[in-house]
Amino acid sequence: VARFESDHDAIQMGLSGAGERLVRVDLRDPEAFTRALQVAQPDVVIHLAAHKDPDYCEEHPGDAEALNVGPVRTLCEILPATTRIVLASTDYVFDGIAPPYKEESVRHPLSVYGKTKAAAEDLLHRRARTTVVRFPVLVGAGPTLEKSGFIWQIVGPLRTGLEVTLDDVLQRRPVWIEDVARAIRFLVDREADGVFHLSGPSGGTRYGWTVGIGGHLGLPTGHIRPSREIVARRAERPRDSHLDTSKIEAMGFGPFTPFTTVVDEVLAGFGV
Ligand SMILES: NC(=O)c1ccc[n+]([C@@H]2O[C@H](COP(=O)([O-])OP(=O)(O)OC[C@H]3O[C@@H](n4cnc5c(N)ncnc54)[C@H](OP(=O)(O)O)[C@@H]3O)[C@@H](O)[C@H]2O)c1
């Protein structure tokens, strides 16, 4: 909303959030969502809501389908062809076996989460005036440092000093939420149709990132150990789902912010 409110009449729809510009609606309820869309009459919809935890989706496939696919079906049915729909999608539509992935690379999701996001993409591919942005793990500041998702997962073990064994197999390219918001605004302004990949500029394993950020911050890392075995989880993760970002960069977007800079910005924001 912040990227659009200065020059658009921007509103937010959600279930439990707060704020002056929030319309409270359960997107899984097609009738309620339809009514909210009919009142709002948007020119552009940026559709973000999803169950994003792959393990939750694996255990609750019906729920995952209801939130990750159902509302996109409603959007396609209700909105006129003049409305642009922007869908937030994921690198998990790929299996991670043959990176890097271009926008037109063949999708092969390994998990229920990836499959529901691919199904949502498919609904939109039949429609004009649609933009799909795929991106990997999002990073940014949460309400507290301890609630700052991936950043705390990296910085937490460095700050506590407790011995920990971290995955050294799965490659991750964290992307700053500010870069994603900037890219969405960039694509909407250009009325860009199609699929676009966004990503942090470099990759690493959770172990590699933690040791690297430890070095960057001047913190000891001797207590961090690598694990060469993939930890078994409910949902299978892609090994390396590196997204090629050359398409949006060729349009003049960039650069994507290095993860070390993102960590510096987030820590500075918390006065650390
Ligand atoms: N997080 C990542 O690392 C990541 C990576 C790749 C792609 N993505 C994609 O990016 C998108 C956003 O992810 P995120 O991490 O920002 O998600 P998030 O923090 O979980 O936010 C999801 C939003 O969906 C809303 N929502 C959830 N259930 C709803 C419902 N039944 N009805 C109405 N609104 C509902 C929530 O609104 P309230 O707060 O008001 O309840 C919240 O604002 C998702 O589509 C996800 O698949 C995320």
Side-chain angles (χ1 to χ4, degrees), residues 240-270:
D240 183 359
S241 48
H242 173 189
L243 300 176
D244 179 323
T245 53
S246 53
K247 182 177 172 185
I248 191 168
E249 283 164 337
M251 291 167 70
F253 182 82
F256 287 96
T257 309
F259 185 51
T260 45
T261 308
V262 180
V263 172
D264 289 343
E265 292 271 345
V266 170
L267 293 182
F270 288 114

mmCIF file of all heavy atoms in Angstrom, residues 240-270:
data_model
loop_
_atom_site.group_PDB
_atom_site.id
_atom_site.type_symbol
_atom_site.label_atom_id
_atom_site.label_comp_id
_atom_site.label_asym_id
_atom_site.label_seq_id
_atom_site.Cartn_x
_atom_site.Cartn_y
_atom_site.Cartn_z
ATOM 1 N N ASP A 240 17.881 -25.954 -5.282
ATOM 2 C CA ASP A 240 18.411 -24.644 -5.699
ATOM 3 C C ASP A 240 17.466 -24.063 -6.754
ATOM 4 O O ASP A 240 17.580 -24.384 -7.934
ATOM 5 C CB ASP A 240 19.823 -24.780 -6.271
ATOM 6 C CG ASP A 240 20.408 -23.413 -6.636
ATOM 7 O OD1 ASP A 240 19.709 -22.390 -6.451
ATOM 8 O OD2 ASP A 240 21.563 -23.383 -7.109
ATOM 9 N N SER A 241 16.564 -23.214 -6.303
ATOM 10 C CA SER A 241 15.554 -22.665 -7.217
ATOM 11 C C SER A 241 15.915 -21.239 -7.646
ATOM 12 O O SER A 241 15.062 -20.364 -7.715
ATOM 13 C CB SER A 241 14.185 -22.693 -6.535
ATOM 14 O OG SER A 241 14.296 -22.147 -5.234
ATOM 15 N N HIS A 242 17.183 -21.053 -7.920
ATOM 16 C CA HIS A 242 17.711 -19.750 -8.350
ATOM 17 C C HIS A 242 16.894 -19.205 -9.530
ATOM 18 O O HIS A 242 16.824 -19.844 -10.584
ATOM 19 C CB HIS A 242 19.182 -19.952 -8.740
ATOM 20 C CG HIS A 242 19.831 -18.759 -9.352
ATOM 21 N ND1 HIS A 242 21.085 -18.840 -9.928
ATOM 22 C CD2 HIS A 242 19.440 -17.480 -9.496
ATOM 23 C CE1 HIS A 242 21.414 -17.663 -10.395
ATOM 24 N NE2 HIS A 242 20.445 -16.816 -10.149
ATOM 25 N N LEU A 243 16.297 -18.021 -9.345
ATOM 26 C CA LEU A 243 15.509 -17.385 -10.406
ATOM 27 C C LEU A 243 16.387 -16.405 -11.175
ATOM 28 O O LEU A 243 17.036 -15.531 -10.575
ATOM 29 C CB LEU A 243 14.315 -16.637 -9.796
ATOM 30 C CG LEU A 243 13.319 -17.478 -8.995
ATOM 31 C CD1 LEU A 243 12.250 -16.580 -8.359
ATOM 32 C CD2 LEU A 243 12.675 -18.550 -9.859
ATOM 33 N N ASP A 244 16.392 -16.534 -12.486
ATOM 34 C CA ASP A 244 17.128 -15.626 -13.371
ATOM 35 C C ASP A 244 16.324 -14.322 -13.477
ATOM 36 O O ASP A 244 15.150 -14.347 -13.871
ATOM 37 C CB ASP A 244 17.259 -16.309 -14.735
ATOM 38 C CG ASP A 244 17.986 -15.455 -15.761
ATOM 39 O OD1 ASP A 244 17.779 -14.223 -15.748
ATOM 40 O OD2 ASP A 244 18.724 -16.015 -16.584
ATOM 41 N N THR A 245 16.936 -13.202 -13.138
ATOM 42 C CA THR A 245 16.207 -11.923 -13.098
ATOM 43 C C THR A 245 16.520 -11.032 -14.300
ATOM 44 O O THR A 245 16.217 -9.838 -14.287
ATOM 45 C CB THR A 245 16.532 -11.164 -11.796
ATOM 46 O OG1 THR A 245 17.954 -11.059 -11.676
ATOM 47 C CG2 THR A 245 15.977 -11.859 -10.576
ATOM 48 N N SER A 246 17.137 -11.597 -15.336
ATOM 49 C CA SER A 246 17.593 -10.743 -16.445
ATOM 50 C C SER A 246 16.439 -10.074 -17.197
ATOM 51 O O SER A 246 16.612 -8.993 -17.758
ATOM 52 C CB SER A 246 18.492 -11.534 -17.407
ATOM 53 O OG SER A 246 17.862 -12.703 -17.815
ATOM 54 N N LYS A 247 15.233 -10.675 -17.168
ATOM 55 C CA LYS A 247 14.117 -10.083 -17.926
ATOM 56 C C LYS A 247 13.740 -8.712 -17.353
ATOM 57 O O LYS A 247 13.687 -7.716 -18.090
ATOM 58 C CB LYS A 247 12.911 -11.035 -17.880
ATOM 59 C CG LYS A 247 11.702 -10.541 -18.673
ATOM 60 C CD LYS A 247 10.583 -11.586 -18.628
ATOM 61 C CE LYS A 247 9.293 -11.083 -19.232
ATOM 62 N NZ LYS A 247 8.184 -12.045 -19.074
ATOM 63 N N ILE A 248 13.529 -8.626 -16.066
ATOM 64 C CA ILE A 248 13.133 -7.332 -15.487
ATOM 65 C C ILE A 248 14.323 -6.362 -15.478
ATOM 66 O O ILE A 248 14.148 -5.153 -15.649
ATOM 67 C CB ILE A 248 12.509 -7.503 -14.075
ATOM 68 C CG1 ILE A 248 11.858 -6.191 -13.625
ATOM 69 C CG2 ILE A 248 13.491 -8.008 -13.050
ATOM 70 C CD1 ILE A 248 10.968 -6.308 -12.400
ATOM 71 N N GLU A 249 15.531 -6.895 -15.342
ATOM 72 C CA GLU A 249 16.712 -6.020 -15.359
ATOM 73 C C GLU A 249 16.892 -5.394 -16.740
ATOM 74 O O GLU A 249 17.272 -4.224 -16.862
ATOM 75 C CB GLU A 249 17.952 -6.794 -14.904
ATOM 76 C CG GLU A 249 17.963 -6.962 -13.391
ATOM 77 C CD GLU A 249 18.930 -8.024 -12.868
ATOM 78 O OE1 GLU A 249 19.309 -8.945 -13.624
ATOM 79 O OE2 GLU A 249 19.275 -7.937 -11.700
ATOM 80 N N ALA A 250 16.573 -6.170 -17.794
ATOM 81 C CA ALA A 250 16.688 -5.628 -19.157
ATOM 82 C C ALA A 250 15.685 -4.502 -19.392
ATOM 83 O O ALA A 250 15.870 -3.666 -20.274
ATOM 84 C CB ALA A 250 16.478 -6.760 -20.174
ATOM 85 N N MET A 251 14.628 -4.465 -18.578
ATOM 86 C CA MET A 251 13.638 -3.376 -18.683
ATOM 87 C C MET A 251 14.095 -2.132 -17.923
ATOM 88 O O MET A 251 13.416 -1.103 -17.933
ATOM 89 C CB MET A 251 12.283 -3.833 -18.112
ATOM 90 C CG MET A 251 11.593 -4.895 -18.948
ATOM 91 S SD MET A 251 10.207 -5.651 -18.033
ATOM 92 C CE MET A 251 9.033 -4.291 -17.985
ATOM 93 N N GLY A 252 15.226 -2.247 -17.198
ATOM 94 C CA GLY A 252 15.754 -1.084 -16.475
ATOM 95 C C GLY A 252 15.563 -1.158 -14.974
ATOM 96 O O GLY A 252 15.851 -0.197 -14.264
ATOM 97 N N PHE A 253 15.084 -2.309 -14.467
ATOM 98 C CA PHE A 253 14.896 -2.424 -13.017
ATOM 99 C C PHE A 253 16.175 -2.941 -12.358
ATOM 100 O O PHE A 253 16.852 -3.809 -12.881
ATOM 101 C CB PHE A 253 13.754 -3.382 -12.684
ATOM 102 C CG PHE A 253 13.512 -3.474 -11.200
ATOM 103 C CD1 PHE A 253 12.755 -2.511 -10.558
ATOM 104 C CD2 PHE A 253 14.090 -4.490 -10.441
ATOM 105 C CE1 PHE A 253 12.563 -2.563 -9.181
ATOM 106 C CE2 PHE A 253 13.903 -4.557 -9.071
ATOM 107 C CZ PHE A 253 13.133 -3.589 -8.437
ATOM 108 N N GLY A 254 16.445 -2.417 -11.168
ATOM 109 C CA GLY A 254 17.551 -2.955 -10.386
ATOM 110 C C GLY A 254 18.343 -1.852 -9.731
ATOM 111 O O GLY A 254 17.963 -0.692 -9.818
ATOM 112 N N PRO A 255 19.421 -2.184 -9.084
ATOM 113 C CA PRO A 255 19.869 -3.534 -8.756
ATOM 114 C C PRO A 255 19.119 -4.088 -7.550
ATOM 115 O O PRO A 255 18.541 -3.330 -6.774
ATOM 116 C CB PRO A 255 21.352 -3.317 -8.408
ATOM 117 C CG PRO A 255 21.390 -1.938 -7.819
ATOM 118 C CD PRO A 255 20.324 -1.146 -8.524
ATOM 119 N N PHE A 256 19.130 -5.434 -7.431
ATOM 120 C CA PHE A 256 18.586 -6.051 -6.232
ATOM 121 C C PHE A 256 19.598 -5.882 -5.093
ATOM 122 O O PHE A 256 20.804 -5.961 -5.299
ATOM 123 C CB PHE A 256 18.301 -7.533 -6.489
ATOM 124 C CG PHE A 256 17.104 -7.738 -7.380
ATOM 125 C CD1 PHE A 256 17.255 -7.925 -8.750
ATOM 126 C CD2 PHE A 256 15.825 -7.728 -6.849
ATOM 127 C CE1 PHE A 256 16.155 -8.101 -9.565
ATOM 128 C CE2 PHE A 256 14.708 -7.908 -7.659
ATOM 129 C CZ PHE A 256 14.874 -8.083 -9.023
ATOM 130 N N THR A 257 19.080 -5.641 -3.899
ATOM 131 C CA THR A 257 19.925 -5.283 -2.750
ATOM 132 C C THR A 257 20.620 -6.522 -2.176
ATOM 133 O O THR A 257 19.946 -7.519 -1.884
ATOM 134 C CB THR A 257 19.050 -4.630 -1.662
ATOM 135 O OG1 THR A 257 18.284 -3.587 -2.272
ATOM 136 C CG2 THR A 257 19.889 -4.070 -0.533
ATOM 137 N N PRO A 258 21.944 -6.464 -1.959
ATOM 138 C CA PRO A 258 22.635 -7.613 -1.353
ATOM 139 C C PRO A 258 22.103 -7.898 0.050
ATOM 140 O O PRO A 258 21.720 -6.977 0.772
ATOM 141 C CB PRO A 258 24.098 -7.153 -1.287
ATOM 142 C CG PRO A 258 24.207 -6.022 -2.244
ATOM 143 C CD PRO A 258 22.856 -5.376 -2.309
ATOM 144 N N PHE A 259 22.128 -9.174 0.430
ATOM 145 C CA PHE A 259 21.563 -9.584 1.724
ATOM 146 C C PHE A 259 22.297 -8.910 2.896
ATOM 147 O O PHE A 259 21.675 -8.554 3.897
ATOM 148 C CB PHE A 259 21.617 -11.116 1.845
ATOM 149 C CG PHE A 259 20.953 -11.648 3.077
ATOM 150 C CD1 PHE A 259 19.658 -11.273 3.430
ATOM 151 C CD2 PHE A 259 21.617 -12.535 3.917
ATOM 152 C CE1 PHE A 259 19.039 -11.763 4.578
ATOM 153 C CE2 PHE A 259 21.013 -13.041 5.063
ATOM 154 C CZ PHE A 259 19.728 -12.647 5.397
ATOM 155 N N THR A 260 23.606 -8.715 2.754
ATOM 156 C CA THR A 260 24.353 -8.061 3.843
ATOM 157 C C THR A 260 23.806 -6.648 4.091
ATOM 158 O O THR A 260 23.667 -6.219 5.238
ATOM 159 C CB THR A 260 25.860 -7.973 3.513
ATOM 160 O OG1 THR A 260 25.995 -7.531 2.167
ATOM 161 C CG2 THR A 260 26.563 -9.284 3.695
ATOM 162 N N THR A 261 23.474 -5.937 3.019
ATOM 163 C CA THR A 261 22.910 -4.587 3.162
ATOM 164 C C THR A 261 21.542 -4.651 3.828
ATOM 165 O O THR A 261 21.210 -3.816 4.672
ATOM 166 C CB THR A 261 22.782 -3.913 1.771
ATOM 167 O OG1 THR A 261 24.035 -4.004 1.122
ATOM 168 C CG2 THR A 261 22.340 -2.467 1.888
ATOM 169 N N VAL A 262 20.728 -5.652 3.443
ATOM 170 C CA VAL A 262 19.398 -5.795 4.038
ATOM 171 C C VAL A 262 19.543 -6.025 5.547
ATOM 172 O O VAL A 262 18.847 -5.403 6.361
ATOM 173 C CB VAL A 262 18.615 -6.963 3.388
ATOM 174 C CG1 VAL A 262 17.234 -7.094 4.022
ATOM 175 C CG2 VAL A 262 18.504 -6.777 1.888
ATOM 176 N N VAL A 263 20.474 -6.918 5.920
ATOM 177 C CA VAL A 263 20.682 -7.198 7.355
ATOM 178 C C VAL A 263 21.108 -5.911 8.067
ATOM 179 O O VAL A 263 20.581 -5.569 9.135
ATOM 180 C CB VAL A 263 21.737 -8.318 7.545
ATOM 181 C CG1 VAL A 263 22.109 -8.471 9.015
ATOM 182 C CG2 VAL A 263 21.199 -9.642 7.004
ATOM 183 N N ASP A 264 22.038 -5.161 7.463
ATOM 184 C CA ASP A 264 22.482 -3.886 8.083
ATOM 185 C C ASP A 264 21.291 -2.947 8.284
ATOM 186 O O ASP A 264 21.145 -2.334 9.337
ATOM 187 C CB ASP A 264 23.528 -3.193 7.204
ATOM 188 C CG ASP A 264 24.859 -3.921 7.212
ATOM 189 O OD1 ASP A 264 25.074 -4.741 8.123
ATOM 190 O OD2 ASP A 264 25.679 -3.668 6.302
ATOM 191 N N GLU A 265 20.445 -2.839 7.245
ATOM 192 C CA GLU A 265 19.288 -1.916 7.314
ATOM 193 C C GLU A 265 18.322 -2.343 8.422
ATOM 194 O O GLU A 265 17.824 -1.516 9.176
ATOM 195 C CB GLU A 265 18.529 -1.924 5.979
ATOM 196 C CG GLU A 265 19.295 -1.314 4.828
ATOM 197 C CD GLU A 265 19.060 0.184 4.708
ATOM 198 O OE1 GLU A 265 18.105 0.679 5.324
ATOM 199 O OE2 GLU A 265 19.851 0.841 4.024
ATOM 200 N N VAL A 266 18.043 -3.653 8.475
ATOM 201 C CA VAL A 266 17.075 -4.144 9.460
ATOM 202 C C VAL A 266 17.630 -3.970 10.878
ATOM 203 O O VAL A 266 16.935 -3.483 11.776
ATOM 204 C CB VAL A 266 16.698 -5.610 9.165
ATOM 205 C CG1 VAL A 266 15.891 -6.215 10.314
ATOM 206 C CG2 VAL A 266 15.900 -5.688 7.867
ATOM 207 N N LEU A 267 18.912 -4.331 11.078
ATOM 208 C CA LEU A 267 19.502 -4.176 12.415
ATOM 209 C C LEU A 267 19.528 -2.706 12.823
ATOM 210 O O LEU A 267 19.198 -2.360 13.964
ATOM 211 C CB LEU A 267 20.922 -4.766 12.444
ATOM 212 C CG LEU A 267 21.010 -6.292 12.281
ATOM 213 C CD1 LEU A 267 22.466 -6.754 12.388
ATOM 214 C CD2 LEU A 267 20.162 -7.032 13.302
ATOM 215 N N ALA A 268 19.872 -1.825 11.878
ATOM 216 C CA ALA A 268 19.909 -0.386 12.189
ATOM 217 C C ALA A 268 18.510 0.092 12.578
ATOM 218 O O ALA A 268 18.357 0.902 13.501
ATOM 219 C CB ALA A 268 20.436 0.400 10.991
ATOM 220 N N GLY A 269 17.489 -0.436 11.889
ATOM 221 C CA GLY A 269 16.109 -0.049 12.198
ATOM 222 C C GLY A 269 15.711 -0.423 13.622
ATOM 223 O O GLY A 269 14.865 0.226 14.226
ATOM 224 N N PHE A 270 16.343 -1.483 14.150
ATOM 225 C CA PHE A 270 16.059 -1.884 15.542
ATOM 226 C C PHE A 270 17.091 -1.301 16.512
ATOM 227 O O PHE A 270 17.138 -1.671 17.680
ATOM 228 C CB PHE A 270 16.032 -3.413 15.662
ATOM 229 C CG PHE A 270 14.804 -4.029 15.014
ATOM 230 C CD1 PHE A 270 14.924 -4.845 13.902
ATOM 231 C CD2 PHE A 270 13.533 -3.778 15.533
ATOM 232 C CE1 PHE A 270 13.804 -5.403 13.304
ATOM 233 C CE2 PHE A 270 12.411 -4.339 14.939
ATOM 234 C CZ PHE A 270 12.534 -5.141 13.821
#
